[in-house]
Amino acid sequence: GEYYDGAENVVFDELLRWDPDAKQTNKDDDQNENDNNNTTAGRWTRILTPPPHPPPRCAHTAVHHNDSIYIFGGECATADKYHHYKDLWKFDTKLNTWEECRSR
């Protein structure tokens, strides 16, 4: 999938954030949770956003500017349809909200 600087990733209509410094605990392991052998670095977290938001897509362009991520274009390809997008969306990384940018 597409990603922004290794930190943002849209996967099948979900927005995910990668935190490389997060510690994950293996709950299935019988060892003490404080044991260094029982943790791994990094964790994906789903970011829930209210509507509106862009439809699922791949092969889009994404750039980061100030506190926003902009995505342009892309395509949706399924067995039943194939569509090229020509839209521009802005994701506010502070508010976790999407806004479609329309020409005036």
Side-chain angles (χ1 to χ4, degrees), residues 45-97:
T45 305
R46 181 184 297 173
I47 301 172
L48 300 176
T49 61
H53 43 76
R57 64 189 66 208
C58 64
H60 55 279
T61 301
V63 296
H64 179 261
H65 179 68
N66 293 333
D67 292 323
S68 298
I69 298 172
Y70 295 86
I71 63 166
F72 174 76
E75 59 190 38
C76 176
T78 67
D80 300 332
K81 74 175 183 178
Y82 184 80
H83 179 75
H84 277 117
Y85 291 105
K86 298 176 184 174
D87 54 355
L88 177 66
W89 287 82
K90 173 186 171 183
F91 179 73
D92 186 312
T93 59
K94 299 244 185 233
L95 301 175
N96 288 347
T97 56

Side-chain angles (χ1 to χ4, degrees), residues 28-55:
D28 296 331
D29 197 334
D30 290 335
Q31 296 178 5
N32 183 338
E33 288 188 16
N34 294 324
D35 185 351
N36 287 337
N37 295 329
N38 196 27
T39 58
T40 58
R43 175 177 42 217
W44 287 102
T45 305
R46 181 184 297 173
I47 301 172
L48 300 176
T49 61
H53 43 76

